Structure formats: C-alpha cells, structure tokens
Amino acid sequence: MKDKQIGVVGGMGSYAAIDLIRKIYDATDASCDQEHLPVAMLSAPHLTVDRSQFLSGEISQNPATSIARIINQLSDLGSSVVGIPCNTAHAPLILDQVLRDIPEHVELVHLIEEVAKLMVQQYPQVTQVGVLGTVGTVNSQVYTQVMNRYGIHVIQPPEDIQSLFVSPAIYDKDYGIKSHSSPVQVRARNDLLLASRFLSRKGAQAIILGCTEIPLAITEEQLETSIVIDATKVLAQAMVRAANRSPVLQSLGAM
C-alpha cells in the first residue's frame, strides 16, 4: 500500500510539535531520505487559544475552530493521517467540534486512545496509572474517561501538587517549559520529577507524561517503581502505523 502523508497540528507547544515530528522519524524504518514518510506541519499559535483557559471558562473561544482550520489546510496539502500533539485538545468539548469540522477522509489519530491501547497490549499487568498534565487535562478527566473503559484506574495529582509544581513547570514565564523549551529549566524538571514520584508512591504502576511539553523535561524510562510512558512517542508510532508503515520497535518509556 502507498504511504499516506502525515499532518501535524502545531502551535500548541511549538517544541511539542517538533518533538512529535522527531519521534515520527525515529519510529520510521528508513535508510535514506526517500524512504521517510511525507510529513507536513502547520503552526498557528497566534490563532489557537489556550485549551485549559477555554475548558475552565476563562475564555469563550473554542480552540477547536483554529485546530480544525489547520487540519483542513493540512488535508489540502495532501495529509490524510493527522495528529494533534496536545493532550488537552483531546477533551471532548474541544475534540468533538474538531471531528465535526474536518474532512471525512482524514484520520485523526486519538492520542489518549492510543495510550490506553498501548497499556492494555504491552503492559497488561498495569491497573493503575498516574497522569501528569495541564489543569485542563486533569479537570476534564479525559484520561480517566478513556482509561476507565479499558479497566485502568487513573491517579491524578491533588490540587496542591498540581498548582504548586505541575502547572508552573509548564506555564511559569520565568522557568516553565512553554517559556523555556530548549533547554528546559532545572526547576521545571525538578518540579515534574517531584510530582511523578508523588504519583508513584500513591500506587501508580506507570506515569503517563500527559502533556506534550513534559517529555521535553522527563527523559527517564522509570521513576521509582513506575514505568514512564511518553504519550508523544505513542502518538508518533500510531501515526506511522496509520500511514501504512510498521513502526520501528522502541521502548515506549520516555527517551
């Protein structure tokens, strides 16, 4: 079968989209330029409002409008397999509208569904996972809703851990990853490691890096007794499969 062109929706953590593209290439079995998959990326950060602010009611504009517009543009460029490197954008209030507004022939690879499938297929012994993500991802319960359908219990950080460590590590203008992506600041990484260890000690057998900024900071494959799952890498491998390739087998922990 002919390879399908991949489309990546950028602008929701610009380095997150770059990280996804790198992981798509890492997952592709290619020995020369011509053997790599065709990939297009469009980024419109000035149009795509913050997903967590929308979900919390701070702003009324649904980011689904610009996300769908970008996907339509990617379709016009020939992409028929599309991924959104933003966990929060998969909350139903956003994703349902996106799905209504994009062409029927476009396959939108669902990041969180792919993580759940991966857990069942490769880690059947895991019944409890911890999730690190934005406040929008946490409050929308999107991981909880999906994982529960697969019989997996989700542990999320309590409000104090989220507000004091996880959210600032992502958003703080002085040291957060959105402000300082390359390199990630030591304080942001340390705060996320603290939250990860908290989840591990609460019984999480796996820690899901459920914000596409977080794999830029956490590179371990295991923390304490918990395996680490890089959701961006899971999405990359799923997109390679959807493009009619068998992905190169890699550890699915963070790298």
Side-chain angles (χ1 to χ4, degrees), residues 82-180:
V82 174
I84 304 173
C86 173
N87 291 259
T88 314
H90 288 73
L93 275 175
I94 299 172
L95 194 68
D96 288 352
Q97 180 178 321
V98 171
L99 291 170
R100 288 194 298 268
D101 293 345
I102 62 175
E104 290 185 3
H105 74 272
V106 170
E107 178 181 356
L108 181 58
V109 182
H110 195 297
L111 185 161
I112 297 171
E113 288 280 352
E114 293 298 333
V115 173
K117 292 176 190 175
L118 178 278
M119 298 307 304
V120 171
Q121 293 166 4
Q122 296 197 23
Y123 302 100
Q125 76 280 11
V126 172
T127 58
Q128 293 197 117
V129 298
V131 175
L132 290 179
T134 66
V135 68
T137 296
V138 169
N139 290 346
S140 68
Q141 299 280 303
V142 60
Y143 265 98
T144 299
Q145 293 166 13
V146 173
M147 290 289 174
N148 283 353
R149 288 196 275 104
Y150 290 84
I152 300 171
H153 175 66
V154 171
I155 304 170
Q156 298 185 143
E159 186 175 346
D160 58 344
I161 297 291
Q162 182 71 36
S163 62
L164 292 174
F165 299 101
V166 182
S167 292
I170 298 168
Y171 285 106
D172 190 276
K173 294 188 183 301
D174 291 327
Y175 65 88
I177 304 171
K178 285 189 179 291
S179 298
H180 303 277

Side-chain angles (χ1 to χ4, degrees), residues 52 62 68 74 107 115 144 164 173 189 195 205 239 247 250 253:
S52 290
N62 192 332
L74 288 167
E107 178 181 356
V115 173
T144 299
L164 292 174
K173 294 188 183 301
R189 171 175 156 78
Q205 298 157 281
M239 293 177 75
Q250 305 174 58

Side-chain angles (χ1 to χ4, degrees), residues 233-247:
K233 187 182 293 184
V234 176
L235 176 60
Q237 296 198 8
M239 293 177 75
V240 171
R241 283 194 301 272
N244 296 328
R245 292 281 192 99
S246 295

